[in-house]
Amino acid sequence: MTGQRTEATQPAVGVEERPEPPGLPDPLPEPAAADIRLETVLGALSDPLRLRIVRKLLLESEEFDHTCGWFGLDRPKSSLTHHFRALREAGVTRQRQYGLERRSQVRVADLNARFPGLLDLVAAWTPPDGD
Amino acid sequence: MTGQRTEATQPAVGVEERPEPPGLPDPLPEPAAADIRLETVLGALSDPLRLRIVRKLLLESEEFDHTCGWFGLDRPKSSLTHHFRALREAGVTRQRQYGLERRSQVRVADLNARFPGLLDLVAAWTPPDGD
DNA sequence: GTACTTGTACGAGTGGAGTCGAACTTAGCA
DNA sequence: TGCTAAGTTCGACTCCACTCGTACAAGTAC
């Protein structure tokens, strides 16, 4: 049951019922596209570390999703779990479980449809003290 | 000295040195346009009440600035002071003192220059439980 | 089997944000 | 002179987010 939160604690409001391409693991619990709230997304993106994660995914992902280790973030694993979950529960990213690894990708289509231009701002962002 | 914070407590990093049109009071301390940080702005806009304030200013202000009372917010005055200051210190709004009243306006030009499209998202936002 | 790796769950500590009441300051007006 | 209105400041409270260490679960490889 690794990587699967229990029903009692998962806060996802509406889990998407989208037909998946064959061979992909199901996404972890996430809000449906229509349930993504602007104030929640802005709150998720107001943290520099998470802004960095999303920006790196946008600029360097090349259509693939990535594990937590790929980002090269100098934080304990429990802290990274916290931030990646915050992004997923806000609807910013989607996470899938591949064996041991949990890979993340930005929900580009959903976010561009609901908040056009927002991801452009994230991509253009520069960290306070360099990259 | 009402409405003027002391030098010791004001956190504004760089106060703008812009020549003012005649007859307008000086703006209260605010970050210069170049010092406005995306993560700070997103944090300021992640609160539903502040999102509501900015949206109302954008949709109904008609080029004029407005007092706190104009918004019709059902909160104590001390709470409103807190939120209006958060917006101003993040660089989202500008406040000027007119006698007893402190009027707010959105820094539309500055924000559109630094974060194009962001204010459109705020204007298009709908509160969770109606307006 | 054992060891290693990825990531979670849990608990604790810390700090900051949101909320509010009460007292205060100031401007305008009767 | 005194009252009223707009908004601040201060202190206190609560709650949540961030951080982290530790322990645990589950694949993978030897």
Side-chain angles (χ1 to χ4, degrees), chain A residues 37-104:
Chain A
R37 300 279 329 159
L38 179 61
E39 58 270 34
T40 310
V41 171
L42 297 185
L45 294 178
S46 67
D47 183 278
L49 186 72
R50 293 196 288 258
L51 214 40
R52 201 169 189 137
I53 289 172
V54 177
R55 172 171 165 267
K56 189 173 176 76
L57 276 174
L58 288 174
L59 298 181
E60 309 177 25
S61 69
E62 298 180 0
E63 295 294 325
F64 294 103
D65 44 4
H66 294 277
T67 67
C68 296
W70 174 77
F71 296 89
L73 300 168
D74 189 19
R75 302 290 177 91
K77 294 186 295 179
S78 53
S79 296
L80 297 184
T81 298
H82 168 73
H83 288 293
F84 278 97
R85 182 166 64 195
L87 286 172
R88 190 191 75 234
E89 293 182 347
V92 178
T93 59
R94 170 167 299 139
Q95 288 185 289
R96 286 192 171 89
Q97 192 83 24
Y98 292 82
L100 260 187
E101 298 170 341
R102 178 167 294 195
R103 294 177 172 271
S104 298

